[in-house]
Amino acid sequence: MFKSHYKLERYSIGLAIAIIVVASIGGIVEIAPLFTIHQTVEEAPGMRVYTPLELAGRNIYIREGCYACHSQMIRTLRDEVERYGPYSLAVESQYDHPMLWGSKRTGPDLARVGGKYSDQWQVTHLNNPRDVVPESVMPAYPFLKETELRIDDLPEHLATLRKLGVPYTDDMVANAVSDAYGQAVPDSPQAKGVKERYGEATDVRAFDGDPGMVTEMDALVAYLQILGRLTDAAHKQEAVTGGIK
Amino acid sequence: MVSTLTMNERHIALVISSFVAVLGLVLAASGRHDLLEPHGFLILLAGLAGVFVILHGYFDPEPGPERLSSYFDEPIKVGIVLAMIWALIAMFVGDWVAWLLAYPDFRFDAAWSSFGRLRPIHTTGIIFGFGGNALIATSFHVMQRTSRARLPDQLTPWFVLAGYNLFCVLAVTGYLMGITQSKEYAEPEWYADFWLVIVWVAYFVLYLRTLARRREPHIYVSNWYYLAFILVVAMLHIVNNLALPISIGSAKSYTIFAGVQDAMVQWWYGHNAVAFFLTAGFLGMLYYYLPKRAGRPIYSYRMSIIGFWGITFFYVWVGSHHLHYTALPQWVQTLGMTFSVMLLVPSWIAAANALLTLNGAWHKVRDDATLRFMMVAAVFYGLATFEGSFLAIRPVNSLSHYTDWTIAHVHAGTLGWNSMIIFGAIYYLVPQLWKRERMYSPALVEVHFWLAVAGTFVYVFAMWNSGITQGLMWRTYNDSGMLAYSFVDSLVAMHPYYIARAFGGLLFFIGTAVGAYNIWKTMQPIPAAERTQADLPVLGELSRPILQAGE
């Protein structure tokens, strides 16, 4: 073994090829089957996609680096299930490009934060977290409420995601701008189309409390309020297994 | 800088710089009203700066053919200076965000100064800015010395260095504006990623061309590690950054993977950035500078081989230990855990090989802070790899994951191992490259050493305490079977540790500043008569390798 290495280390190309081969095996064995083994991702018929407004909110979540302190992945541990809700399923992030499972909880997990707090609470909290949680160390984001949301490029966003396999329809892509506006301005004529395209259960309201302008706050709160609610697969699973005790 | 280039190389450099400038202009034009626009202008500016620098020195005398009988050290010097600049910036930002976790309003009331935007500046600045420049600079040095050959041309090293730093600048300025893919340690967007691939290919080809010119039959072990670093990082970078931009005029892209597959690809990348950026490349450094400084040959050739191939093979499997108890299938978690534990064997072989090399030179470790930096680095490498294998065990991970324990572990590695070996290598290199007898002040090297060690200990102990406290509080039940603590309770308990951590980081930062001052003073011009001799590619007999294993 050492004799043959004594030879190998005299050839730079040979060494390079050997490194590539040796370093490729682990990745191939662990990653490739995740695309082929059917059970990797559960079935969730009826799971809906993010609305354009929620997608824009998700991109703000990414932009601000929220994932650095908040996970979106409830592990299969009793205390996590009791603290945050049913453990996360792979299917719940099947449309997430990229996933935001996170790696650190300086703040709590957000996988099921949707519907847990009112819009009002979320807006106050994002504006200055210490107004509602005095001990919080989260940064304040007062500019979100002042900043108009960019919605003109949302059709491109949806079209790109569709190319990657997210089931947006032609109708959804074509009406992305109108839907983003309508979801945050409930009295506008655009509001009606949102529920038609994304389902009756879709939240259509002025998330930031002000129906005048569609702000980044609208988008981010809309996103936070849908977290964990795109499908009820995890709750069904819990009903079957009785959770973790 | 330009005076090191031949006329032909100056022409090529002009073409490349102009091309970069045009590329920047195209991006700025197509990305109007998008965040891409400022970055387009930044690239344009970089290209124009290149053109300006070359034209400014265009009529400098060309280097004569006598250059070919010496090593090409100019880019190494610049690489070291850049590494120190990045260290100062990124450690400052790191300590700042550490204080933010104790005092969250300790920032200007601005969008760019939130923890979420600053944190990747710290990680990118340290890993890619400080670590990457140090790796490139030392690899240029090691590849020439262990091959007894000069770099094959003058332009490529400059291109690699400048191009790489352009990538780093695009990355950190992007975070400030809110451009990020959110993939940890792979945050830069598609155009920056693309650029890095070009730079990286040039780097790899440069390495092979230098090796091809070597006057040693065997390729020294440091070069195996540097090669693994370059090759595997290329593989990781390309796969993990596969993404579709929403248009050519937008900075935003969507990664092609989703959900569980994306998580696995990300942590396959993330952990192997640790493996091949922060371990393989740095072991290359360790395997050259530690024996050179100690004046002892590497303890064992066989241990070098087992360590190298063990690390290269096992590491790639372990990324899934970042995803224990998640929605990742159990079989992948189990594979990751198993290989993480096995990985301890080659890791400790490499660490032991370094420490055993010091046998017979321990008196030097006592007297020479530079060698002591390298010794402490090897010790922390051993400690951090043990801790890493331990944390990868699933039940241990259930407590440690998501907590500050991970942060303690990472910083035991980055402060104790990566930074220490870089500083050791730099203190070895600076006097040699600037042709001085020694550093400006050996006493300040000593001061730096103790500040760095003290800072690391304070930091790591604070985070161990906070991490384990956090993990325990989250899972504590009271007598009536209810969770005993709210999340906020655990956050309040962290406060004193966060202050201690920020203080430890401050000590480390001050140490780095002392080091930068010392390096700066050492670089100041001195009369030619006082300069030491440069080492030359071919001196003495060729039959005996420069560095030979002890056995």
Side-chain angles (χ1 to χ4, degrees):
Chain A
M1 172 188 167
F2 297 108
K3 279 256 169 61
S4 51
H5 197 277
Y6 198 69
K7 283 200 196 108
L8 175 68
E9 69 189 39
R10 297 166 67 155
Y11 302 97
S12 53
I13 301 286
L15 204 55
I17 292 171
I19 289 169
I20 292 175
V21 170
V22 169
S24 300
I25 298 168
I28 292 170
V29 172
E30 290 189 349
I31 296 172
L34 297 181
F35 293 92
T36 56
I37 297 177
H38 187 62
Q39 295 95 313
T40 302
V41 180
E42 306 83 359
E43 298 281 338
M47 176 170 170
R48 87 154 162 86
V49 292
Y50 294 111
T51 65
L53 187 69
E54 291 154 7
L55 184 68
R58 189 170 198 272
N59 288 335
I60 293 169
Y61 184 99
I62 289 172
R63 183 187 78 192
E64 299 303 335
C66 305
Y67 59 85
C69 293
H70 294 283
S71 57
Q72 290 185 20
M73 174 46 63
I74 301 166
R75 296 181 293 170
T76 52
L77 299 168
R78 180 185 161 193
D79 59 291
E80 298 217 350
V81 170
E82 288 184 10
R83 192 181 293 278
Y84 300 116
Y87 59 83
S88 300
L89 300 181
V91 71
E92 292 180 276
S93 47
Q94 66 171 334
Y95 301 140
D96 287 5
H97 296 265
M99 58 84 207
L100 295 172
W101 291 9
S103 58
K104 176 71 172 64
R105 284 183 189 150
T106 305
D109 187 277
L110 299 181
R112 307 209 181 285
V113 81
K116 194 170 171 186
Y117 302 92
S118 66
D119 292 348
Q120 166 86 52
W121 187 93
Q122 291 286 8
V123 171
T124 314
H125 181 253
L126 284 165
N127 193 56
N128 182 16
R130 279 157 292 288
D131 286 348
V132 276
V133 184
E135 305 87 347
S136 171
V137 297
M138 188 172 123
Y141 296 94
F143 63 92
L144 293 176
K145 223 168 45 178
E146 318 296 330
T147 313
E148 185 166 5
L149 181 72
R150 181 175 178 188
I151 55 176
D152 64 299
D153 61 349
L154 280 170
E156 288 168 326
H157 285 261
L158 266 61
T160 308
L161 283 170
R162 183 166 62 174
K163 278 186 206 147
L164 297 174
V166 181
Y168 284 112
T169 62
D170 289 340
D171 202 25
M172 288 170 171
V173 174
N175 291 290
V177 175
S178 149
D179 286 347
Y181 182 84
Q183 196 180 353
V185 187
D187 295 333
S188 65
Q190 289 96 321
K192 212 169 122 266
V194 180
K195 291 201 182 220
E196 276 169 20
R197 274 179 283 276
Y198 295 91
E200 272 307 311
T202 311
D203 299 328
V204 176
R205 51 183 194 251
F207 294 91
D208 66 353
D210 169 19
M213 176 171 74
V214 181
T215 63
E216 297 195 334
M217 184 67 90
D218 278 313
L220 185 54
V221 174
Y223 172 62
L224 292 173
Q225 294 293 27
I226 197 63
L227 278 177
R229 294 170 56 212
L230 290 174
T231 167
D232 57 359
H235 295 272
K236 278 190 187 145
Q237 172 108 350
E238 191 182 42
V240 173
T241 60
I244 300 169
K245 293 290 168 188
Chain B
M1 199 182 284
V2 181
S3 57
T4 61
L5 301 179
T6 64
M7 209 35 107
N8 190 30
E9 287 172 331
R10 287 175 207 183
H11 293 151
I12 302 173
L14 265 180
V15 172
I16 295 174
S17 299
S18 317
F19 178 71
V20 170
V22 171
L23 208 67
L25 195 62
V26 170
L27 279 182
S30 67
R32 256 161 50 95
H33 313 304
D34 190 88
L35 287 173
L36 189 58
E37 188 180 5
H39 262 174
F41 281 119
L42 189 75
I43 296 169
L44 170 66
L45 210 65
L48 290 180
V51 172
F52 176 80
V53 168
I54 297 156
L55 287 181
H56 185 71
Y58 187 76
F59 293 108
D60 287 357
E62 277 190 90
E66 74 280 357
R67 73 173 191 277
L68 297 175
S69 55
S70 67
Y71 290 123
F72 187 40
D73 287 345
E74 272 23 271
I76 305 173
K77 291 181 177 179
V78 175
I80 288 173
V81 172
L82 286 168
M84 288 307 292
I85 292 172
W86 278 108
L88 289 172
I89 296 171
M91 286 180 193
F92 173 78
V93 174
D95 202 45
W96 181 16
V97 296
W99 287 109
L100 282 181
L101 289 184
Y103 305 102
D105 291 319
F106 185 51
R107 55 183 271 234
F108 323 96
D109 198 11
W112 60 267
S113 65
S114 68
F115 182 93
R117 291 201 196 182
L118 291 179
R119 187 249 185 190
I121 298 184
H122 168 61
T123 53
T124 300
I126 288 293
I127 300 173
F128 297 106
F130 176 45
N133 275 301
L135 283 169
I136 292 174
T138 56
S139 72
F140 286 171
H141 182 254
V142 171
M143 71 169 95
Q144 293 188 91
R145 264 56 178 194
T146 56
S147 303
R148 295 201 206 196
R150 183 183 164 90
L151 289 167
D153 69 288
Q154 285 74 233
L155 180 59
T156 317
W158 287 123
F159 172 74
V160 171
L161 204 58
Y164 182 76
N165 280 279
L166 174 62
F167 166 78
C168 293
V169 170
L170 284 174
V172 298
T173 53
Y175 310 150
L176 286 177
M177 295 188 285
I179 300 175
T180 170
Q181 295 191 102
S182 86
K183 294 193 146 216
E184 283 186 79
Y185 320 114
E187 292 93 346
E189 271 291 357
W190 59 275
Y191 49 96
D193 291 334
F194 201 76
W195 174 246
L196 184 63
V197 172
I198 297 172
V199 172
W200 216 248
V201 170
Y203 184 25
F204 177 60
V205 173
L206 177 71
Y207 214 117
L208 286 187
R209 284 164 69 210
T210 310
L211 288 180
R213 294 158 61 90
R214 73 185 184 278
R215 297 194 181 90
E216 294 278 340
H218 292 270
I219 299 171
Y220 181 61
V221 50
S222 284
N223 296 305
W224 315 344
Y225 277 111
Y226 281 120
L227 273 178
F229 147 63
I230 298 170
L231 284 169
V232 184
V233 166
M235 184 162 90
L236 299 166
H237 174 76
I238 291 171
V239 174
N240 191 42
N241 285 303
L242 288 174
L244 209 53
I246 65 162
S247 79
I248 199 76
S250 171
K252 172 72 187 169
S253 70
Y254 286 100
T255 175
I256 68 162
F257 306 109
V260 60
Q261 291 92 359
D262 185 42
M264 185 59 222
V265 171
Q266 160 58 27
W267 288 111
W268 166 77
Y269 168 89
H271 202 83
N272 287 302
V274 175
F276 290 92
F277 212 96
L278 296 178
T279 303
F282 284 83
L283 283 171
M285 238 184 256
L286 182 77
Y287 267 102
Y288 181 79
Y289 293 104
L290 183 128
K292 285 298 275 187
R293 188 70 178 191
R296 308 273 313 163
I298 269 292
Y299 174 73
S300 163
Y301 169 66
R302 292 176 188 198
M303 281 168 80
S304 309
I305 295 175
I306 298 172
F308 174 75
W309 290 105
I311 284 171
T312 308
F313 180 66
F314 287 161
Y315 244 120
V316 187
W317 296 76
V318 307
S320 52
H321 72 222
H322 289 250
L323 300 166
H324 281 329
Y325 301 99
T326 67
L328 182 76
Q330 180 119 357
W331 66 268
V332 197
Q333 300 178 22
T334 306
L335 270 180
M337 172 171 77
T338 312
F339 274 86
S340 301
V341 174
M342 293 197 291
L343 182 60
L344 187 60
V345 176
S347 298
W348 271 26
I349 286 176
N353 205 9
L355 290 173
L356 289 169
T357 300
L358 292 172
N359 277 349
W362 285 99
H363 61 286
K364 292 187 188 168
V365 176
R366 183 192 61 208
D367 298 334
D368 176 12
T370 303
L371 186 58
R372 216 179 308 127
F373 264 116
M374 301 181 197
M375 184 277 288
V376 169
V379 170
F380 266 102
Y381 174 66
L383 289 175
T385 48
F386 173 78
E387 190 185 29
S389 296
F390 181 62
L391 292 179
I393 299 169
R394 210 169 0 221
V396 181
N397 196 270
S398 77
L399 178 77
S400 75
H401 192 55
Y402 293 136
T403 75
D404 288 323
W405 195 349
T406 311
I407 316 300
H409 171 58
V410 170
H411 284 81
T414 47
L415 298 176
W417 151 235
N418 298 120
S419 299
M420 299 279 186
I421 189 67
I422 292 179
F423 290 134
I426 286 182
Y427 284 132
Y428 170 88
L429 276 174
V430 166
Q432 192 195 86
L433 294 178
W434 272 270
K435 305 196 178 65
R436 305 290 188 266
E437 285 294 335
R438 53 174 175 75
M439 288 298 294
Y440 164 73
S441 164
L444 285 182
V445 180
E446 200 70 46
V447 170
H448 180 188
F449 174 79
W450 288 109
L451 279 170
V453 170
T456 305
F457 270 88
V458 172
Y459 190 112
V460 171
F461 273 93
M463 289 292 94
W464 272 340
N465 276 303
S466 71
I468 293 170
T469 308
Q470 228 172 8
L472 291 175
M473 284 179 85
W474 291 346
R475 55 162 65 176
T476 302
Y477 283 85
N478 60 22
D479 291 340
S480 46
M482 308 287 283
L483 288 168
Y485 301 102
S486 71
F487 191 89
V488 169
D489 290 336
S490 74
L491 185 65
V492 171
M494 296 306 101
H495 188 68
Y497 301 119
Y498 283 172
I499 294 174
R501 178 260 294 271
F503 177 70
L506 185 63
L507 289 181
F508 201 93
F509 172 72
I510 294 171
T512 305
V514 169
Y517 171 77
N518 201 2
I519 293 166
W520 174 253
K521 293 298 272 186
T522 312
M523 285 160 44
Q524 296 311 307
I526 55 167
E530 290 172 28
R531 288 190 205 139
T532 55
Q533 281 278 315
D535 56 332
L536 294 169
V538 185
L539 284 176
E541 79 283 31
L542 268 175
S543 54
R544 199 174 57 83
I546 293 176
L547 286 161
Q548 196 166 30
E551 57 198 61

